[in-house]
Amino acid sequence: MKVLLINGSPRANGCTFTALTEITKILNAEGVQTEILQSGNKPVRDCIGCGGCKGKGKCVFGDDCVNEWIEKAYSADAFVFGTPVYYAHPTGRILSVLDRLFYAGGQAFEHKPAAVIASARRAGTTASVDVLYKYLGIKQMPIVTSSYWNAVHGNSPEEIYNDAEGMQTMHNIATNMAWLLKCIEAGKNSGICAPQNTVSVRTNFIR
């Protein structure tokens, strides 16, 4: 079992990374492999809705991390998406990445568990988490929650470690994720597979 953790912060070793690292510690102790993917601080293209990815399973823009991450997503069993809070919302960076990941490589995510987390100095975490939840919902991904809202608070990695409740929240996300993955694995071993959905129907509301 392997979990991919995507850091939507331009800071490779900042607060969001610190929170994700705490999740990996518990997952690893539970026998789950992990890999943190850094979005970095280089430019990331927005999705332009060109439809060029249709039927290809990859984005037509191949000059950043997106297509590489789609390939990794196919072999992953679960995901954690992390973002710092900018003006009470997720970073534009992670939204650009997720728009393209889910548009071009959506099949790699379907029916796989996922969690989202946010880090902030003070406010905006729940609003940011709510935005990221939308990606999981549209791909029918079981959402992994915790004992409180999936967030940590602090203005530096050192302050994040001093957020005792935030650290507990990260640990419980990991524990719940490991439990759910083991349940899914046991189900597969018993012949229970993910549901096969009907062909997608898309409508509009103007006639």
Side-chain angles (χ1 to χ4, degrees):
M1 294 177 288
K2 183 174 182 178
V3 177
L4 290 182
L5 303 94
I6 292 181
N7 182 5
S9 170
R11 293 185 174 86
N13 299 299
C15 296
T16 305
F17 173 79
T18 301
L20 293 173
T21 299
E22 284 301 303
I23 293 174
T24 67
K25 291 177 182 177
I26 304 299
L27 287 172
N28 294 158
E30 291 280 350
V32 179
Q33 294 181 320
T34 57
E35 182 180 0
I36 297 178
L37 304 177
Q38 304 286 356
S39 61
N41 55 15
K42 294 181 180 179
V44 175
R45 289 179 181 264
D46 292 331
C47 177
I48 62 171
C50 67
C53 60
K54 188 175 182 179
K56 298 177 181 177
K58 63 180 182 179
C59 182
V60 295
F61 299 128
D63 56 350
D64 53 32
C65 60
V66 170
N67 286 331
E68 176 188 349
W69 290 4
I70 289 173
E71 289 300 314
K72 287 179 177 287
Y74 275 105
S75 59
D77 299 293
F79 306 89
V80 181
F81 304 104
T83 183
V85 174
Y86 288 5
Y87 287 94
H89 62 71
T91 62
R93 172 173 297 276
I94 195 168
L95 295 180
S96 294
V97 168
L98 292 183
D99 281 353
R100 291 167 57 209
L101 283 177
F102 278 72
Y103 205 107
Q107 288 184 336
F109 297 92
E110 287 181 354
H111 299 117
K112 295 179 180 179
V116 300
I117 68 163
S119 67
R121 182 189 66 82
R122 189 169 179 85
T125 53
T126 54
S128 296
V129 165
D130 285 344
V131 171
L132 299 187
Y133 277 148
K134 304 304 187 294
Y135 293 92
L136 314 190
I138 204 166
K139 287 302 173 185
Q140 307 167 77
M141 303 172 76
I143 295 173
V144 178
T145 57
S146 186
S147 49
Y148 199 65
W149 314 129
N150 292 9
V152 292
H153 292 85
N155 205 37
S156 68
E158 293 75 23
E159 290 182 0
I160 294 297
Y161 282 120
N162 288 329
D163 178 9
E165 187 171 13
M167 288 291 97
Q168 181 188 48
T169 299
M170 297 302 108
H171 294 168
N172 289 340
I173 289 171
T175 301
N176 291 342
M177 175 77 80
W179 169 73
L180 185 53
L181 284 171
K182 291 173 184 178
C183 288
I184 292 172
E185 184 176 50
K188 288 179 179 178
N189 292 337
S190 299
I192 302 172
C193 299
Q196 297 296 315
N197 298 129
T198 57
V199 177
S200 178
V201 177
R202 302 188 69 179
T203 63
N204 59 55
F205 300 99
I206 300 174
R207 295 288 184 267

